């Protein structure tokens, strides 16, 4: 039986910082940096808008594949091997896109980068959550996502700061160079974490076979799927929408992504705190509602006001959806750990892949990018409805005990 242990504030900070750095590398310098880059790449003539949407779809498809790989290889022993491998793949694929203008090569590289993103985004927080649970500090798990908020700000600075002196494929160089030292430090720190290969349950027994899908997790999965489709449209196309709606030189052409970044930085801390204070389910309902209003604002108020509201409200909520849902999932099925996290991210990744694909089909059929945001509104409404069907973990476990 693995005994619970304590952790010093310095140890807690070091582990959470390493997780935050790793997520910063793969999820913002890997994935979301493409959002502020896309208008520049289109302006340089390297891509068209439909081609840009197609590349985003390939990246999100890779993310889905990566999450599915994480379902298969979910044990701590697997994570120790795969984390450094896929951090290396992230660096290599990012360096590769600095060297080519070929659409097929870019798409293939972005797909593989998405695979790396999917694996690391599942495994790093899951490993840290298991480490925290063993030290009775699971309420701090959401703080690892602060790295995504900081990464959005870093990605915004890297793109806009180099916009005047780089062009085409070379625009990826700042991201590639920044990724190398961060990936090395974060990967090594997590590799050394002391976590048993399989965490025991409350009775000290190792549980190996239990249902992943049941009446408790199904509504949570459906809700999370709606969240993935709902948030991904503004997180992929908001700067491009600004370029289509605003006059040249307007501060929001780069400012929308900066607003997203600034509002995302405190989001993980805020929703972690709200979940602890209100309960994760009430906090998740509030989170969906605010996010829904944000995407709806871009549809109802085209122009600067709608863009700013969308950037602020989506930026301040999407990480909360992730951390609250992941924590709820583990509370409902504490024996599942990384496997449940991987399954959720796989579904999230699938719906995120569908978003850019639907947008491309809509644009090819003559629709507008603004009207495509309506897809996100419907998806978030769908997700909000299913949050009301998620049982409280304590009530679900009490019911199971009575049944037994």
């Amino acid at each position: 039986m693995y005994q619970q242990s304590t952790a010093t504030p310095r140890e807690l900070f070091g582990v959470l910082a390493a997780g935050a750095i790793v997520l910063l590398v793969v999820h913002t310098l890997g994935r979301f940096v493409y959002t502020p880059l896309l208008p520049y790449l289109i302006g340089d003539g390297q891509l068209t808008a439909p081609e840009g949407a197609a590349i985003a779809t390939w990246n999100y498809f890779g993310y889905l594949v990566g999450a599915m790989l994480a379902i298969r290889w979910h044990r701590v022993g697997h994570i120790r091997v795969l984390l450094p491998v896929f951090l290396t793949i992230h660096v290599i694929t990012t360096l590769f896109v600095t060297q080519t203008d070929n659409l097929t090569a870019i798409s293939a590289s972005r797909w593989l980068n998405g695979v790396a993103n999917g694996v690391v985004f599942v495994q790093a927080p899951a490993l840290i959550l298991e480490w925290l649970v063993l030290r009775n500090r699971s309420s701090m798990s959401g703080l690892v996502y602060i790295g995504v908020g900081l990464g959005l700000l870093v990605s915004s600075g890297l793109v806009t700061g180099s916009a005047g002196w780089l062009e085409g494929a070379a625009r990826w160089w700042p991201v590639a160079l920044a990724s190398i030292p961060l990936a090395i430090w974060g990967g090594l720190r997590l590799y050394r974490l002391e976590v048993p290969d399989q965490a025991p349950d409350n009775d000290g027994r190792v549980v190996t076979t239990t249902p992943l899908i049941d009446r408790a997790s199904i509504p949570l999965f459906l809700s999370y799927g709606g969240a993935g489709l709902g948030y991904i449209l503004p997180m992929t196309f908001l700067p491009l929408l600004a370029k289509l709606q605003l006059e040249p030189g307007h501060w929001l052409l780069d400012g929308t992504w900066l607003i997203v970044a600034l509002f995302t930085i405190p989001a993980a801390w805020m929703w972690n705190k709200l979940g602890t204070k209100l309960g994760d389910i009430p906090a998740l309902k509030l989170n969906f509602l605010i996010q829904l209003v944000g995407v709806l604002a871009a549809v109802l108020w085209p122009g600067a006001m709608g863009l700013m509201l969308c950037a602020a409200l989506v930026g301040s909520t999407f990480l909360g959806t992730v951390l609250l849902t992941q924590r709820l999932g583990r509370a409902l099925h504490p024996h599942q750990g990384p496997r449940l996290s991987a399954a959720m991210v796989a579904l999230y990744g699938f719906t995120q892949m569908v978003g850019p694909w639907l947008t491309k089909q809509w644009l090819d059929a003559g629709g507008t990018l603004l009207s495509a945001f309506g897809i996100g509104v419907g998806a978030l409404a769908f997700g909000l409805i299913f949050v009301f069907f998620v049982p409280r973990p304590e009530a679900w476990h009490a019911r199971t005990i009575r049944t037994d």
Side-chain angles (χ1 to χ4, degrees), residues 71-110:
I71 296 176
R72 171 63 180 83
W73 291 300
H74 62 275
R75 292 174 55 173
V76 171
H78 300 145
I79 294 174
R80 291 194 195 282
V81 174
L82 293 180
L83 264 180
V85 168
F86 282 100
L87 283 169
T88 302
I89 289 173
H90 159 82
V91 171
I92 292 172
T93 53
T94 307
L95 286 168
F96 178 79
V97 291
T98 67
Q99 302 300 306
T100 182
D101 292 319
N102 182 274
L103 181 62
T104 302
I106 295 171
S107 298
S109 182
R110 293 298 291 162

Side-chain angles (χ1 to χ4, degrees), residues 223 226-227 284-292 321 380 383-384 387:
S223 172
L284 189 59
K285 292 175 183 176
L286 178 62
N287 177 279
F288 264 94
L289 184 61
I290 295 172
Q291 198 167 175
L292 174 61
T321 316
L380 287 167
L384 175 59
V387 178

Side-chain angles (χ1 to χ4, degrees), residues 160-192:
T160 57
S162 61
W165 50 279
L166 295 177
E167 185 175 350
R171 293 189 185 276
W172 289 95
W173 269 114
V175 178
L177 295 176
S179 294
I180 297 171
L182 296 176
I184 292 172
W185 183 83
L188 286 175
R189 185 67 179 80
L190 294 184
Y191 181 82
R192 297 176 183 141

Side-chain angles (χ1 to χ4, degrees), residues 109-384:
S109 182
R110 293 298 291 162
W111 173 81
L112 188 53
N113 187 274
V115 175
N117 182 16
V119 172
V120 176
F121 194 77
V122 169
Q123 291 189 342
L127 179 67
I128 291 170
L129 178 56
E130 296 305 312
W131 186 85
L132 290 170
V133 166
L134 291 168
R135 288 151 183 83
N136 200 30
R137 304 302 291 268
S138 61
S139 62
M140 301 181 70
S141 61
L143 298 179
V144 71
Y145 295 100
I146 289 175
V148 178
L150 291 173
L152 292 178
L153 187 62
V154 171
S155 69
S156 177
L158 290 174
V159 172
T160 57
S162 61
W165 50 279
L166 295 177
E167 185 175 350
R171 293 189 185 276
W172 289 95
W173 269 114
V175 178
L177 295 176
S179 294
I180 297 171
L182 296 176
I184 292 172
W185 183 83
L188 286 175
R189 185 67 179 80
L190 294 184
Y191 181 82
R192 297 176 183 141
L193 278 189
E194 295 182 8
V195 183
D197 194 33
Q198 286 184 294
D201 65 8
N202 293 332
D203 297 323
R205 297 171 298 159
V206 172
V207 182
T208 56
T209 56
T210 53
L212 187 66
I213 308 289
D214 59 16
R215 281 181 291 170
S217 62
I218 284 174
L220 191 63
F221 273 106
L222 291 173
S223 172
Y224 204 39
L229 179 56
Y231 99 101
I232 201 60
L233 292 173
M235 290 300 290
T236 304
F237 298 112
L238 195 61
L240 184 57
L241 183 63
K243 184 178 180 181
L244 295 174
Q245 291 184 347
L246 304 174
E247 65 273 10
H250 197 289
W251 72 273
L252 277 176
L253 293 178
D254 290 319
T256 51
W257 194 245
L258 179 61
I259 292 172
V260 170
L262 291 174
F263 275 82
T264 302
I265 290 172
W269 176 86
M270 179 181 72
W271 290 107
N272 194 70
K273 193 77 172 177
L274 284 172
T276 303
K277 186 173 182 179
L278 303 177
D280 285 342
I281 291 179
L284 189 59
K285 292 175 183 176
L286 178 62
N287 177 279
F288 264 94
L289 184 61
I290 295 172
Q291 198 167 175
L292 174 61
V293 171
V295 182
L296 189 61
V299 177
L300 296 181
W301 296 293
M305 180 59 70
L307 291 167
M308 286 191 293
L309 283 172
C310 183
L313 297 183
V314 173
S316 63
T317 50
F318 80 92
L319 282 182
T321 316
V322 174
L323 71 90
L324 291 170
T325 304
Q326 293 284 348
R327 198 159 64 194
L328 263 173
R330 197 189 187 286
L332 288 168
H333 294 298
H335 48 273
Q336 292 286 4
R339 184 166 170 253
L340 181 64
S341 175
M344 285 184 167
V345 173
L347 176 63
Y348 202 54
F350 173 75
T351 55
Q352 290 175 74
M353 181 187 69
V354 169
W357 180 83
L358 285 175
T359 302
K360 182 179 185 301
Q361 305 311 307
W362 186 252
L363 294 175
D364 287 344
T368 65
L369 186 60
L370 177 62
S371 60
F373 273 50
I375 299 170
V377 174
L380 287 167
F382 174 89
L384 175 59

